Amino acid sequence: AQSVTQLDSHVSVSEGTPVLLRCNYSSSYSPSLFWYVQHPNKGLQLLLKYTSAATLVKGINGFEAEFKKSETSFHLTKPSAHMSDAAEYFCVVTSNQAGTALIFGKGTTLSVSS
Amino acid sequence: GAVVSQHPSRVICKSGTSVKIECRSLDFQATTMFWYRQFPKQSLMLMATSNEGSKATYEQGVEKDKFLINHASLTLSTLTVTSAHPEDSSFYICSARDLAGVRETQYFGPGTRLLVL
């Protein structure tokens, strides 16, 4: 069965420092993986996605993630945090090979201090 | 980019009443829409998959008679919470897949916050 585990429920960083949000996945086939961000009172926004192309995926707002099959990981990184990055982040995997539904991780709350 | 809207954004109702939530894809056609539920401080849980012109597919544990889904057109799906009770209070989010786009990509609505008194 497909699943994702976000290893940290809460990450706190200072503005200008690097961000690392960790995600491990379990899949019986080559998965499609995503990172979504949810700001308070706003809809989910797709940051980036991996669909069996390049293992290093670049997304919006300076975020990127690397698919590592050997480690079953898809960690999200950003070199320098901005105050506006404070939000809830979800690591997501497709629930089946057809990609028809998504399974969400429990989420990581990112706090950014000045 | 693709936009999905939901209406209403917030609703408060009395216990026992029914509430309808609309999900619309504004600038693309969606044969498949999804309904999620999100409890406070928790992740999104898929409730059902809504297919245009056919019956919805419900996830295990979701009562289909309680959460009625209708997907009458390529741009509209509705979720009706029937005889709502306080435990149905939650944040309901829909998403839609672009018929012409990458199949794995879903676009999410802003969500509807339901409070049942």
Side-chain angles (χ1 to χ4, degrees):
Chain A
Q2 314 301 102
S3 68
V4 287
T5 302
Q6 291 183 244
L7 300 172
D8 308 291
S9 60
H10 197 164
V11 170
S12 296
V13 300
S14 299
E15 192 174 23
T17 64
V19 175
L20 170 64
L21 304 183
R22 298 182 294 165
C23 173
N24 286 114
Y25 71 91
S26 174
S27 177
S28 55
Y29 54 84
S30 294
S32 292
L33 291 156
F34 309 78
W35 276 98
Y36 280 87
V37 61
Q38 185 180 37
H39 286 93
N41 301 316
K42 290 192 176 181
L44 285 156
Q45 182 181 22
L46 178 65
L47 278 178
L48 49 81
K49 62 185 177 186
Y50 166 78
T51 55
S52 75
T55 56
L56 182 61
V57 182
K58 293 188 183 298
I60 61 172
N61 301 335
F63 285 94
E64 63 181 37
E66 186 171 7
F67 175 74
K68 291 186 177 180
K69 187 175 180 179
S70 61
E71 298 177 9
T72 61
S73 69
F74 190 58
H75 301 334
L76 181 70
T77 60
K78 182 174 181 177
S80 176
H82 192 272
M83 296 294 286
S84 61
D85 294 327
E88 189 80 12
Y89 291 79
F90 293 98
C91 182
V92 181
V93 66
T94 46
S95 66
N96 53 45
Q97 284 187 281
T100 52
L102 303 177
I103 296 174
F104 281 72
K106 294 190 178 220
T108 298
T109 302
L110 175 65
S111 299
V112 182
S113 57
S114 58
Chain B
V3 178
V4 175
S5 71
Q6 283 185 240
H7 177 80
S9 59
R10 184 184 298 267
V11 58
I12 301 173
C13 69
K14 292 182 179 179
S15 185
T17 60
S18 294
V19 175
K20 180 185 283 188
I21 303 170
E22 293 185 349
C23 177
R24 293 182 186 271
S25 56
L26 297 184
D27 49 2
F28 67 98
Q29 293 183 321
T31 54
T32 305
M33 291 183 171
F34 303 87
W35 287 97
Y36 295 85
R37 185 173 180 176
Q38 185 181 29
F39 290 102
K41 306 287 185 185
Q42 294 191 28
S43 187
L44 279 74
M45 299 296 294
L46 179 65
M47 298 174 65
T49 302
S50 169
N51 298 297
E52 187 265 338
S54 65
K55 290 184 178 180
T57 303
Y58 290 82
E59 296 298 303
Q60 192 171 9
V62 178
E63 299 175 60
K64 61 180 180 180
D65 296 329
K66 171 79 171 175
F67 299 99
L68 300 179
I69 291 172
N70 183 279
H71 194 156
S73 77
L74 288 173
T75 59
L76 173 64
S77 175
T78 61
L79 168 69
T80 301
V81 182
T82 61
S83 186
H85 287 90
E87 58 266 29
D88 298 324
S89 299
S90 191
F91 194 49
Y92 292 89
I93 302 173
C94 75
S95 70
R97 288 200 323 184
D98 187 345
L99 185 64
V102 178
R103 68 176 186 189
E104 297 91 350
T105 300
Q106 294 185 21
Y107 300 97
F108 286 81
T112 296
R113 191 164 301 283
L114 170 63
L115 176 62
V116 184
L117 302 176

